[in-house]
Amino acid sequence: MAGKNILVMHGGGPTAVINASLYGIVAEGKAHSEIAHVYGAHGGPSGLMNGTLIDLSSMDDSELVRLRDAPGSAIGTGRDALAGHYPAMVELLVKNKIDIVMPTGGNGTMNTCALLQEAINEAGVDIQVIGVPKTMDNDIAEIDHAPGYGSAARYAAQSVGEVCCDVHSMPIHIVVVEVMGRAAGWVAAATALAETCGQGGPDLIYMPERAFDQDAFLADCQRIIDTKGGGVVVASEGLHYADGTPIVEPVMEVERATYYGDVSSHLSNLIIKHLGYKARSEKPGLLGRASTALRSESDVREAEEVGRAAVRAALAGETGKMVGIQRIPGDVYGIETNLIDVERVRMIERLLPDTFINEAGNGVTPEFKTWAAPLVGELPRFVSFL
Amino acid sequence: MAGKNILVMHGGGPTAVINASLYGIVAEGKAHSEIAHVYGAHGGPSGLMNGTLIDLSSMDDSELVRLRDAPGSAIGTGRDALAGHYPAMVELLVKNKIDIVMPTGGNGTMNTCALLQEAINEAGVDIQVIGVPKTMDNDIAEIDHAPGYGSAARYAAQSVGEVCCDVHSMPIHIVVVEVMGRAAGWVAAATALAETCGQGGPDLIYMPERAFDQDAFLADCQRIIDTKGGGVVVASEGLHYADGTPIVEPVMEVERATYYGDVSSHLSNLIIKHLGYKARSEKPGLLGRASTALRSESDVREAEEVGRAAVRAALAGETGKMVGIQRIPGDVYGIETNLIDVERVRMIERLLPDTFINEAGNGVTPEFKTWAAPLVGELPRFVSFL
């Protein structure tokens, strides 16, 4: 037998460790003689549609290790509307002699897995589908956490810890740091761990799981000003009022897309206008999912392991499954991978549970910090006389 | 003799290496028996005014090394209006038995050095003033570059290199990254070095040394969209029109301070509204001067050396001088410190010279890259198939 061919397709925005999962797939593929080639679809599913496949198994080992540490998606990723194209995709998989397809992404991508599996079944061909989870937002269901989250969380936590040192050097303003995460506050919540850096961490954290109350926000900020002279506020990009309206005005509608202003500058402007106090806004945005220097070690390791587990699952004959990450119970942090039917994951958005958000809705619980700490890893502790 | 006492006072915003200079002062002070104590003024000059001095020379060596790597200012910094207070400061220096005062900061702080020296001369007391340069903006005159700049430049360059990888993974938008630097484009210019990361670097860089032309900007962006589908634009926070007006509207005036909107969101909104194309804005802001992970090695080393040189200058009897950094001519990068009369530095803002900005005013010259590369240090080169 000639050996099986794997095709990896990236979907949605990159994470800091999407290439680590890709590395795991290629490295594990090269370790099994049953795998002939590992290909990457250039630019996501469109790479399959237009025949641009990259042979990753031909990489030499030194280059392969560097792949693990590259930001962005080294093969490109896509956000294509695939409805109606699944039968054509199956034909192209057959034509390109692909035996195993590995869509890598979040909830939407797991929906792609399910629809692709249906089209494969209808075509009656022998192609396996193994989903590889990936999202910095951490909103994939059925898993303890998603590859990509730990690094985004570490970036946000350490950066906020450093900003706290800066702000407490001269407490003359409130600094609002906006973090990504859309409807889910997982990354915002993780900034609470910045307290271990030695300056108390952020004073307030606003997550989209709680409706935004402008009066409560301004009262919270006034209290920080009165007691500390200045401080650090973390806000999720997805904040909205109780009726679901985003707290930022739409800047422009272009075709079906609506563009909103920045949450951080909106909040800092509120402080300036209503409290008459200095405020700054910081929005690292894409820097938070592209940073290589602030990746979480466990995240890199687990992302690779998820890729390797996907190859082993394929060799075991599995299909229509996503590789999961489950935490091993006990006091010492450890994970194991498992396989989850993609039907149980597709299009479900997992938000922060109530037990992780404090009563005032402006911070997290000790339970969340215990949960998140091993994913972020130990943060540096900074010397200060303040 | 009992030994001399040094007082360090930080002024203005912190840099990533302000504590490295402080470390250099304390370490060099401890190495000379002629120095009894090194104190830090808590919160800048106001620490002297209200008697809050921190004895840094009592730190043990392991803690002292950690001081070198702390973000923010470990003793606090100030932006106090000192006019009229200089005679009182001199009295307090005498009362606290301070023999050597080391204001650490930028052009404004060197003006403080000059005014303090005048007050000392008028009082007829024997106190030495040695200025220690510090600014991420790199706008101090008479020196090759300022401690703090290399790290801010490295942060901006590597972050933009990583964002380039992210954007080229799915080129569906223009990303505008705003960097600090007020009237000086030194940090913005340094992002050109991101090209060595392997994705071509930023497509456009706008520096405040050139008047902003909205039509030229939109034409530049349209060209990037047409040729590449998406890309990365770097903009300095200090951009203004030919008449000197900032390109962003004032949000609010509070007492004498005017608060402006963000340059990055203004520019991304222009792209959305005028070109009908997706655009994002990222504004790492304070993260860029507080990051410890992306500090430049040469910057850390030189900041420490500037602190050590300040102590040696004081022991040699110098006063009214700022420690300078001069580049040793030749192909191999090296610096030496010298002493510069603070009169030659005070209140002068050094901008990018014309030879460092390209003709179109939207990028830098090869000459700038050659100049900046050793300050930033080697950047990681990322694997990509795009």
Side-chain angles (χ1 to χ4, degrees):
Chain A
M1 120 184 178
K4 292 185 168 186
N5 294 323
I6 295 174
L7 176 67
V8 182
M9 294 193 301
H10 286 171
T15 72
V17 298
I18 188 172
N19 292 323
S21 291
L22 183 60
Y23 165 82
I25 295 168
V26 179
E28 190 72 22
K30 288 179 80 167
H32 293 276
S33 59
E34 305 96 306
I35 303 296
H37 292 278
V38 178
Y39 296 102
H42 187 286
S46 64
L48 171 62
M49 304 304 267
N50 60 32
T52 325
L53 304 188
I54 303 156
D55 186 357
L56 299 164
S57 39
S58 65
M59 295 179 83
D60 67 37
D61 287 347
S62 65
E63 193 77 351
L64 196 52
V65 169
R66 290 181 56 232
L67 172 64
R68 189 182 54 196
D69 298 326
S73 163
I75 56 175
T77 178
R79 194 172 277 163
D80 313 297
L82 298 174
H85 295 290
Y86 289 98
M89 287 174 73
V90 174
E91 277 179 38
L92 288 165
L93 290 170
V94 171
K95 184 186 158 204
N96 285 285
K97 300 188 169 41
I98 302 300
D99 304 284
I100 302 157
V101 60
M102 296 187 174
T104 303
N107 310 305
T109 297
M110 295 312 138
N111 191 47
T112 295
C113 286
L115 294 169
L116 196 53
Q117 183 69 62
E118 282 174 23
I120 286 166
N121 295 348
E122 278 171 30
V125 295
D126 184 20
I127 296 175
Q128 296 163 263
V129 182
I130 304 290
V132 178
K134 169 239 74 174
T135 173
M136 65 164 282
D137 296 347
N138 202 40
D139 58 354
I140 300 177
E142 300 285 337
I143 54 179
D144 183 75
H145 58 277
Y149 170 63
S151 294
R154 183 177 183 81
Y155 177 91
Q158 181 163 333
S159 298
V160 165
E162 290 166 338
V163 166
C164 288
C165 292
D166 191 296
V167 171
H168 292 303
S169 298
M170 187 160 52
I172 57 167
H173 47 202
I174 298 258
V175 171
V176 182
V177 182
E178 176 176 342
V179 299
M180 291 175 76
R182 291 181 298 180
W186 295 98
V187 178
T191 63
L193 297 173
E195 70 186 6
T196 64
C197 294
Q199 287 282 341
D203 298 288
L204 300 161
I205 305 172
Y206 298 97
M207 294 150 282
E209 283 81 358
R210 293 288 177 268
F212 182 77
D213 178 329
Q214 183 170 311
D215 293 337
F217 166 76
L218 289 170
D220 281 347
C221 290
Q222 186 64 57
R223 182 168 42 82
I224 301 306
I225 294 165
D226 292 343
T227 55
K228 305 174 71 177
V232 176
V233 171
V234 172
S236 171
E237 63 180 352
L239 291 182
H240 53 80
Y241 297 116
D243 66 0
T245 323
I247 67 166
V248 282
E249 296 287 319
V251 174
M252 183 76 180
E253 301 210 15
V254 176
E255 292 168 10
R256 284 172 305 174
T258 305
Y259 296 89
Y260 293 96
D262 293 335
V263 160
S264 48
S265 57
H266 174 71
L267 295 182
S268 63
N269 288 349
L270 283 182
I271 295 166
I272 295 169
K273 288 180 181 172
H274 290 268
L275 306 181
Y277 192 77
K278 288 188 188 179
R280 280 188 59 96
S281 60
E282 325 295 351
K283 184 195 169 201
L286 295 187
L287 279 68
R289 73 183 193 196
S291 167
T292 52
L294 289 178
R295 301 198 303 175
S296 146
E297 277 179 36
S298 64
D299 192 28
V300 175
R301 195 171 57 237
E302 293 172 3
E304 177 186 335
E305 180 52 24
V306 159
R308 290 183 180 275
V311 174
R312 294 195 302 267
L315 290 174
E318 299 281 356
T319 190
K321 302 284 169 66
M322 179 187 83
V323 177
I325 291 180
Q326 307 303 331
R327 198 179 293 222
I328 298 169
D331 291 339
V332 180
Y333 176 75
I335 62 118
E336 55 190 7
T337 58
N338 67 340
L339 293 172
I340 301 165
D341 199 312
V342 292
E343 291 293 341
R344 287 172 53 197
V345 184
R346 62 193 287 195
M347 303 307 274
I348 296 170
E349 195 170 42
R350 186 177 64 135
L351 305 182
L352 278 169
D354 286 345
T355 51
F356 282 177
I357 305 174
N358 74 6
E359 208 172 328
N362 59 12
V364 302
T365 59
E367 194 180 341
F368 170 78
K369 289 188 241 182
T370 304
W371 177 86
L375 311 186
V376 166
E378 197 176 347
L379 295 171
R381 190 173 174 83
F382 302 122
V383 170
S384 177
F385 293 91
L386 304 178
Chain B
M1 116 182 182
K4 293 186 168 185
N5 294 323
I6 296 176
L7 176 67
V8 182
M9 294 194 301
H10 286 170
T15 72
V17 299
I18 186 172
N19 292 323
S21 290
L22 184 59
Y23 164 83
I25 294 168
V26 179
E28 190 71 23
K30 288 179 80 168
H32 293 275
S33 59
E34 304 96 305
I35 303 296
H37 293 278
V38 179
Y39 297 103
H42 188 285
S46 64
L48 171 63
M49 304 305 266
N50 60 33
T52 324
L53 304 189
I54 304 156
D55 186 357
L56 298 164
S57 39
S58 66
M59 296 179 83
D60 68 36
D61 287 348
S62 65
E63 194 77 351
L64 196 52
V65 169
R66 291 181 56 231
L67 173 65
R68 189 182 55 197
D69 298 327
S73 162
I75 56 175
T77 179
R79 194 172 276 163
D80 313 296
L82 299 174
H85 295 289
Y86 289 98
M89 287 174 74
V90 174
E91 278 180 37
L92 288 165
L93 290 171
V94 172
K95 183 185 159 206
N96 285 284
K97 302 188 170 43
I98 301 299
D99 305 282
I100 302 156
V101 60
M102 296 189 174
T104 304
N107 310 305
T109 297
M110 294 312 136
N111 191 46
T112 294
C113 287
L115 294 169
L116 195 53
Q117 183 69 63
E118 283 174 23
I120 286 166
N121 294 348
E122 279 172 28
V125 294
D126 184 21
I127 296 174
Q128 296 164 260
V129 182
I130 305 290
V132 178
K134 168 240 74 175
T135 173
M136 63 163 284
D137 296 347
N138 201 41
D139 58 355
I140 300 177
E142 300 285 338
I143 53 179
D144 183 75
H145 58 278
Y149 171 63
S151 294
R154 183 176 183 82
Y155 177 91
Q158 181 163 331
S159 297
V160 165
E162 291 166 337
V163 165
C164 288
C165 291
D166 190 294
V167 171
H168 291 304
S169 298
M170 186 158 55
I172 58 168
H173 47 202
I174 298 260
V175 171
V176 182
V177 181
E178 177 175 341
V179 299
M180 291 174 77
R182 292 180 298 179
W186 294 97
V187 178
T191 63
L193 298 173
E195 70 185 7
T196 64
C197 295
Q199 289 281 339
D203 298 287
L204 300 161
I205 305 172
Y206 298 97
M207 294 150 283
E209 283 82 357
R210 291 289 176 269
F212 183 76
D213 178 329
Q214 184 170 309
D215 293 337
F217 165 75
L218 289 170
D220 282 346
C221 290
Q222 186 65 56
R223 183 167 42 81
I224 301 305
I225 293 165
D226 293 343
T227 54
K228 305 173 72 177
V232 176
V233 171
V234 172
S236 172
E237 63 180 354
L239 292 182
H240 52 80
Y241 297 115
D243 66 1
T245 322
I247 68 166
V248 282
E249 297 288 320
V251 174
M252 182 77 179
E253 301 210 16
V254 176
E255 291 169 9
R256 283 173 305 175
T258 305
Y259 296 90
Y260 292 96
D262 294 334
V263 160
S264 48
S265 58
H266 175 72
L267 295 181
S268 63
N269 289 347
L270 282 182
I271 295 166
I272 294 169
K273 288 180 180 170
H274 290 267
L275 305 181
Y277 192 77
K278 288 188 189 179
R280 279 188 60 95
S281 60
E282 326 294 353
K283 184 196 170 202
L286 295 187
L287 279 68
R289 71 182 193 196
S291 168
T292 52
L294 290 178
R295 300 199 302 176
S296 147
E297 277 179 37
S298 64
D299 192 28
V300 176
R301 195 172 56 238
E302 293 173 2
E304 176 187 335
E305 180 52 23
V306 159
R308 290 183 180 275
V311 174
R312 294 194 302 267
L315 290 175
E318 299 280 356
T319 189
K321 301 284 169 65
M322 179 187 84
V323 177
I325 291 180
Q326 306 304 331
R327 198 178 293 223
I328 298 168
D331 291 340
V332 179
Y333 176 76
I335 63 119
E336 55 190 7
T337 58
N338 66 341
L339 293 173
I340 301 164
D341 200 312
V342 292
E343 292 293 339
R344 287 173 53 197
V345 184
R346 63 193 287 194
M347 303 307 275
I348 296 170
E349 195 170 42
R350 186 177 63 135
L351 305 181
L352 277 170
D354 286 346
T355 51
F356 282 177
I357 304 173
N358 73 7
E359 208 172 327
N362 58 14
V364 301
T365 58
E367 193 180 341
F368 171 78
K369 289 188 244 182
T370 303
W371 177 86
L375 312 185
V376 166
E378 197 176 348
L379 295 171
R381 191 173 172 83
F382 303 123
V383 170
S384 177
F385 293 92
L386 304 176

PDB file of all heavy atoms in Angstrom, chain A residues 72-97:
ATOM      1  N   GLY A  72       0.971  33.470  13.396  1.00  0.00           N
ATOM      2  CA  GLY A  72       0.074  33.411  12.245  1.00  0.00           C
ATOM      3  C   GLY A  72      -0.146  31.971  11.850  1.00  0.00           C
ATOM      4  O   GLY A  72       0.151  31.041  12.603  1.00  0.00           O
ATOM      5  N   SER A  73      -0.697  31.764  10.668  1.00  0.00           N
ATOM      6  CA  SER A  73      -0.798  30.413  10.106  1.00  0.00           C
ATOM      7  C   SER A  73       0.200  30.310   8.973  1.00  0.00           C
ATOM      8  O   SER A  73       0.098  31.057   7.996  1.00  0.00           O
ATOM      9  CB  SER A  73      -2.200  30.135   9.579  1.00  0.00           C
ATOM     10  OG  SER A  73      -2.148  29.012   8.712  1.00  0.00           O
ATOM     11  N   ALA A  74       1.152  29.389   9.105  1.00  0.00           N
ATOM     12  CA  ALA A  74       2.223  29.285   8.108  1.00  0.00           C
ATOM     13  C   ALA A  74       1.709  28.823   6.746  1.00  0.00           C
ATOM     14  O   ALA A  74       2.374  29.021   5.735  1.00  0.00           O
ATOM     15  CB  ALA A  74       3.308  28.332   8.608  1.00  0.00           C
ATOM     16  N   ILE A  75       0.514  28.207   6.727  1.00  0.00           N
ATOM     17  CA  ILE A  75      -0.058  27.764   5.449  1.00  0.00           C
ATOM     18  C   ILE A  75      -1.235  28.640   5.035  1.00  0.00           C
ATOM     19  O   ILE A  75      -1.823  28.441   3.971  1.00  0.00           O
ATOM     20  CB  ILE A  75      -0.504  26.275   5.513  1.00  0.00           C
ATOM     21  CG1 ILE A  75      -1.507  26.050   6.658  1.00  0.00           C
ATOM     22  CG2 ILE A  75       0.720  25.362   5.673  1.00  0.00           C
ATOM     23  CD1 ILE A  75      -2.082  24.630   6.715  1.00  0.00           C
ATOM     24  N   GLY A  76      -1.569  29.601   5.881  1.00  0.00           N
ATOM     25  CA  GLY A  76      -2.725  30.459   5.610  1.00  0.00           C
ATOM     26  C   GLY A  76      -3.997  29.842   6.135  1.00  0.00           C
ATOM     27  O   GLY A  76      -4.083  28.632   6.357  1.00  0.00           O
ATOM     28  N   THR A  77      -4.981  30.704   6.345  1.00  0.00           N
ATOM     29  CA  THR A  77      -6.252  30.236   6.882  1.00  0.00           C
ATOM     30  C   THR A  77      -7.370  30.929   6.118  1.00  0.00           C
ATOM     31  O   THR A  77      -7.126  31.881   5.371  1.00  0.00           O
ATOM     32  CB  THR A  77      -6.320  30.512   8.410  1.00  0.00           C
ATOM     33  OG1 THR A  77      -7.575  30.087   8.917  1.00  0.00           O
ATOM     34  CG2 THR A  77      -6.117  31.983   8.732  1.00  0.00           C
ATOM     35  N   GLY A  78      -8.601  30.423   6.249  1.00  0.00           N
ATOM     36  CA  GLY A  78      -9.698  30.986   5.457  1.00  0.00           C
ATOM     37  C   GLY A  78     -10.954  31.162   6.263  1.00  0.00           C
ATOM     38  O   GLY A  78     -11.122  30.566   7.328  1.00  0.00           O
ATOM     39  N   ARG A  79     -11.803  32.032   5.774  1.00  0.00           N
ATOM     40  CA  ARG A  79     -13.101  32.245   6.406  1.00  0.00           C
ATOM     41  C   ARG A  79     -14.149  32.206   5.290  1.00  0.00           C
ATOM     42  O   ARG A  79     -15.010  33.064   5.169  1.00  0.00           O
ATOM     43  CB  ARG A  79     -13.079  33.599   7.126  1.00  0.00           C
ATOM     44  CG  ARG A  79     -14.219  33.819   8.085  1.00  0.00           C
ATOM     45  CD  ARG A  79     -13.988  35.087   8.888  1.00  0.00           C
ATOM     46  NE  ARG A  79     -13.114  34.852  10.023  1.00  0.00           N
ATOM     47  CZ  ARG A  79     -12.488  35.810  10.704  1.00  0.00           C
ATOM     48  NH1 ARG A  79     -12.617  37.056  10.346  1.00  0.00           N
ATOM     49  NH2 ARG A  79     -11.743  35.513  11.742  1.00  0.00           N
ATOM     50  N   ASP A  80     -13.996  31.196   4.423  1.00  0.00           N
ATOM     51  CA  ASP A  80     -14.851  31.102   3.239  1.00  0.00           C
ATOM     52  C   ASP A  80     -16.223  30.565   3.610  1.00  0.00           C
ATOM     53  O   ASP A  80     -16.370  29.728   4.492  1.00  0.00           O
ATOM     54  CB  ASP A  80     -14.205  30.154   2.227  1.00  0.00           C
ATOM     55  CG  ASP A  80     -12.729  30.459   2.043  1.00  0.00           C
ATOM     56  OD1 ASP A  80     -12.423  31.567   1.591  1.00  0.00           O
ATOM     57  OD2 ASP A  80     -11.889  29.593   2.390  1.00  0.00           O
ATOM     58  N   ALA A  81     -17.250  31.040   2.917  1.00  0.00           N
ATOM     59  CA  ALA A  81     -18.587  30.458   3.033  1.00  0.00           C
ATOM     60  C   ALA A  81     -18.567  29.176   2.202  1.00  0.00           C
ATOM     61  O   ALA A  81     -18.320  29.191   0.997  1.00  0.00           O
ATOM     62  CB  ALA A  81     -19.623  31.439   2.504  1.00  0.00           C
ATOM     63  N   LEU A  82     -18.798  28.036   2.860  1.00  0.00           N
ATOM     64  CA  LEU A  82     -18.624  26.746   2.188  1.00  0.00           C
ATOM     65  C   LEU A  82     -19.953  26.089   1.819  1.00  0.00           C
ATOM     66  O   LEU A  82     -19.963  25.061   1.147  1.00  0.00           O
ATOM     67  CB  LEU A  82     -17.816  25.804   3.090  1.00  0.00           C
ATOM     68  CG  LEU A  82     -16.393  26.291   3.406  1.00  0.00           C
ATOM     69  CD1 LEU A  82     -15.722  25.381   4.417  1.00  0.00           C
ATOM     70  CD2 LEU A  82     -15.556  26.364   2.132  1.00  0.00           C
ATOM     71  N   ALA A  83     -21.075  26.709   2.275  1.00  0.00           N
ATOM     72  CA  ALA A  83     -22.394  26.108   2.012  1.00  0.00           C
ATOM     73  C   ALA A  83     -22.543  25.832   0.515  1.00  0.00           C
ATOM     74  O   ALA A  83     -22.261  26.689  -0.330  1.00  0.00           O
ATOM     75  CB  ALA A  83     -23.492  27.042   2.496  1.00  0.00           C
ATOM     76  N   GLY A  84     -22.958  24.617   0.177  1.00  0.00           N
ATOM     77  CA  GLY A  84     -23.165  24.253  -1.222  1.00  0.00           C
ATOM     78  C   GLY A  84     -21.918  23.729  -1.905  1.00  0.00           C
ATOM     79  O   GLY A  84     -21.985  23.165  -3.006  1.00  0.00           O
ATOM     80  N   HIS A  85     -20.759  23.893  -1.275  1.00  0.00           N
ATOM     81  CA  HIS A  85     -19.502  23.486  -1.904  1.00  0.00           C
ATOM     82  C   HIS A  85     -18.990  22.129  -1.420  1.00  0.00           C
ATOM     83  O   HIS A  85     -17.951  21.665  -1.883  1.00  0.00           O
ATOM     84  CB  HIS A  85     -18.416  24.544  -1.667  1.00  0.00           C
ATOM     85  CG  HIS A  85     -18.710  25.858  -2.327  1.00  0.00           C
ATOM     86  ND1 HIS A  85     -18.676  26.030  -3.687  1.00  0.00           N
ATOM     87  CD2 HIS A  85     -19.061  27.065  -1.812  1.00  0.00           C
ATOM     88  CE1 HIS A  85     -18.981  27.283  -3.990  1.00  0.00           C
ATOM     89  NE2 HIS A  85     -19.226  27.933  -2.849  1.00  0.00           N
ATOM     90  N   TYR A  86     -19.703  21.527  -0.456  1.00  0.00           N
ATOM     91  CA  TYR A  86     -19.155  20.304   0.142  1.00  0.00           C
ATOM     92  C   TYR A  86     -19.006  19.152  -0.855  1.00  0.00           C
ATOM     93  O   TYR A  86     -17.962  18.489  -0.860  1.00  0.00           O
ATOM     94  CB  TYR A  86     -19.964  19.910   1.383  1.00  0.00           C
ATOM     95  CG  TYR A  86     -19.710  20.862   2.537  1.00  0.00           C
ATOM     96  CD1 TYR A  86     -20.576  21.908   2.815  1.00  0.00           C
ATOM     97  CD2 TYR A  86     -18.561  20.734   3.313  1.00  0.00           C
ATOM     98  CE1 TYR A  86     -20.316  22.807   3.833  1.00  0.00           C
ATOM     99  CE2 TYR A  86     -18.288  21.622   4.343  1.00  0.00           C
ATOM    100  CZ  TYR A  86     -19.171  22.660   4.600  1.00  0.00           C
ATOM    101  OH  TYR A  86     -18.900  23.539   5.603  1.00  0.00           O
ATOM    102  N   PRO A  87     -19.996  18.904  -1.727  1.00  0.00           N
ATOM    103  CA  PRO A  87     -19.789  17.811  -2.710  1.00  0.00           C
ATOM    104  C   PRO A  87     -18.562  18.067  -3.595  1.00  0.00           C
ATOM    105  O   PRO A  87     -17.784  17.145  -3.868  1.00  0.00           O
ATOM    106  CB  PRO A  87     -21.092  17.834  -3.526  1.00  0.00           C
ATOM    107  CG  PRO A  87     -22.109  18.429  -2.587  1.00  0.00           C
ATOM    108  CD  PRO A  87     -21.351  19.467  -1.801  1.00  0.00           C
ATOM    109  N   ALA A  88     -18.362  19.326  -3.984  1.00  0.00           N
ATOM    110  CA  ALA A  88     -17.192  19.657  -4.815  1.00  0.00           C
ATOM    111  C   ALA A  88     -15.902  19.434  -4.037  1.00  0.00           C
ATOM    112  O   ALA A  88     -14.890  18.961  -4.590  1.00  0.00           O
ATOM    113  CB  ALA A  88     -17.281  21.109  -5.289  1.00  0.00           C
ATOM    114  N   MET A  89     -15.944  19.772  -2.739  1.00  0.00           N
ATOM    115  CA  MET A  89     -14.751  19.555  -1.914  1.00  0.00           C
ATOM    116  C   MET A  89     -14.426  18.063  -1.837  1.00  0.00           C
ATOM    117  O   MET A  89     -13.250  17.677  -1.904  1.00  0.00           O
ATOM    118  CB  MET A  89     -14.970  20.115  -0.497  1.00  0.00           C
ATOM    119  CG  MET A  89     -14.937  21.636  -0.445  1.00  0.00           C
ATOM    120  SD  MET A  89     -15.370  22.285   1.197  1.00  0.00           S
ATOM    121  CE  MET A  89     -13.887  21.858   2.111  1.00  0.00           C
ATOM    122  N   VAL A  90     -15.431  17.246  -1.689  1.00  0.00           N
ATOM    123  CA  VAL A  90     -15.206  15.795  -1.608  1.00  0.00           C
ATOM    124  C   VAL A  90     -14.583  15.290  -2.911  1.00  0.00           C
ATOM    125  O   VAL A  90     -13.621  14.523  -2.903  1.00  0.00           O
ATOM    126  CB  VAL A  90     -16.513  15.042  -1.284  1.00  0.00           C
ATOM    127  CG1 VAL A  90     -16.297  13.534  -1.350  1.00  0.00           C
ATOM    128  CG2 VAL A  90     -17.046  15.450   0.092  1.00  0.00           C
ATOM    129  N   GLU A  91     -15.089  15.781  -4.030  1.00  0.00           N
ATOM    130  CA  GLU A  91     -14.520  15.384  -5.338  1.00  0.00           C
ATOM    131  C   GLU A  91     -13.033  15.752  -5.417  1.00  0.00           C
ATOM    132  O   GLU A  91     -12.215  14.971  -5.921  1.00  0.00           O
ATOM    133  CB  GLU A  91     -15.268  16.080  -6.476  1.00  0.00           C
ATOM    134  CG  GLU A  91     -16.553  15.360  -6.874  1.00  0.00           C
ATOM    135  CD  GLU A  91     -17.270  16.115  -8.007  1.00  0.00           C
ATOM    136  OE1 GLU A  91     -16.575  16.651  -8.898  1.00  0.00           O
ATOM    137  OE2 GLU A  91     -18.520  16.160  -7.958  1.00  0.00           O
ATOM    138  N   LEU A  92     -12.721  16.962  -4.911  1.00  0.00           N
ATOM    139  CA  LEU A  92     -11.329  17.416  -4.963  1.00  0.00           C
ATOM    140  C   LEU A  92     -10.435  16.620  -4.011  1.00  0.00           C
ATOM    141  O   LEU A  92      -9.273  16.367  -4.313  1.00  0.00           O
ATOM    142  CB  LEU A  92     -11.250  18.907  -4.640  1.00  0.00           C
ATOM    143  CG  LEU A  92     -11.787  19.810  -5.759  1.00  0.00           C
ATOM    144  CD1 LEU A  92     -12.031  21.222  -5.252  1.00  0.00           C
ATOM    145  CD2 LEU A  92     -10.791  19.828  -6.938  1.00  0.00           C
ATOM    146  N   LEU A  93     -11.000  16.227  -2.876  1.00  0.00           N
ATOM    147  CA  LEU A  93     -10.232  15.381  -1.949  1.00  0.00           C
ATOM    148  C   LEU A  93      -9.891  14.057  -2.627  1.00  0.00           C
ATOM    149  O   LEU A  93      -8.748  13.574  -2.552  1.00  0.00           O
ATOM    150  CB  LEU A  93     -11.031  15.129  -0.654  1.00  0.00           C
ATOM    151  CG  LEU A  93     -11.212  16.348   0.272  1.00  0.00           C
ATOM    152  CD1 LEU A  93     -12.214  16.034   1.386  1.00  0.00           C
ATOM    153  CD2 LEU A  93      -9.873  16.794   0.880  1.00  0.00           C
ATOM    154  N   VAL A  94     -10.873  13.485  -3.306  1.00  0.00           N
ATOM    155  CA  VAL A  94     -10.647  12.212  -4.019  1.00  0.00           C
ATOM    156  C   VAL A  94      -9.605  12.419  -5.120  1.00  0.00           C
ATOM    157  O   VAL A  94      -8.636  11.657  -5.240  1.00  0.00           O
ATOM    158  CB  VAL A  94     -11.975  11.675  -4.616  1.00  0.00           C
ATOM    159  CG1 VAL A  94     -11.707  10.483  -5.530  1.00  0.00           C
ATOM    160  CG2 VAL A  94     -12.952  11.304  -3.503  1.00  0.00           C
ATOM    161  N   LYS A  95      -9.801  13.490  -5.897  1.00  0.00           N
ATOM    162  CA  LYS A  95      -8.902  13.781  -7.021  1.00  0.00           C
ATOM    163  C   LYS A  95      -7.461  13.967  -6.534  1.00  0.00           C
ATOM    164  O   LYS A  95      -6.502  13.539  -7.187  1.00  0.00           O
ATOM    165  CB  LYS A  95      -9.386  15.051  -7.723  1.00  0.00           C
ATOM    166  CG  LYS A  95      -8.590  15.417  -8.968  1.00  0.00           C
ATOM    167  CD  LYS A  95      -9.044  16.762  -9.530  1.00  0.00           C
ATOM    168  CE  LYS A  95      -7.943  17.367 -10.398  1.00  0.00           C
ATOM    169  NZ  LYS A  95      -8.057  18.818 -10.500  1.00  0.00           N
ATOM    170  N   ASN A  96      -7.295  14.595  -5.378  1.00  0.00           N
ATOM    171  CA  ASN A  96      -5.953  14.842  -4.835  1.00  0.00           C
ATOM    172  C   ASN A  96      -5.437  13.690  -3.968  1.00  0.00           C
ATOM    173  O   ASN A  96      -4.430  13.832  -3.277  1.00  0.00           O
ATOM    174  CB  ASN A  96      -5.945  16.151  -4.024  1.00  0.00           C
ATOM    175  CG  ASN A  96      -5.966  17.389  -4.917  1.00  0.00           C
ATOM    176  OD1 ASN A  96      -4.959  17.734  -5.525  1.00  0.00           O
ATOM    177  ND2 ASN A  96      -7.117  18.028  -5.029  1.00  0.00           N
ATOM    178  N   LYS A  97      -6.179  12.567  -3.982  1.00  0.00           N
ATOM    179  CA  LYS A  97      -5.785  11.369  -3.222  1.00  0.00           C
ATOM    180  C   LYS A  97      -5.599  11.632  -1.733  1.00  0.00           C
ATOM    181  O   LYS A  97      -4.665  11.133  -1.110  1.00  0.00           O
ATOM    182  CB  LYS A  97      -4.505  10.767  -3.811  1.00  0.00           C
ATOM    183  CG  LYS A  97      -4.633  10.325  -5.277  1.00  0.00           C
ATOM    184  CD  LYS A  97      -3.399   9.569  -5.732  1.00  0.00           C
ATOM    185  CE  LYS A  97      -3.572   8.879  -7.075  1.00  0.00           C
ATOM    186  NZ  LYS A  97      -4.294   9.668  -8.107  1.00  0.00           N
TER     187      LYS A  97
END
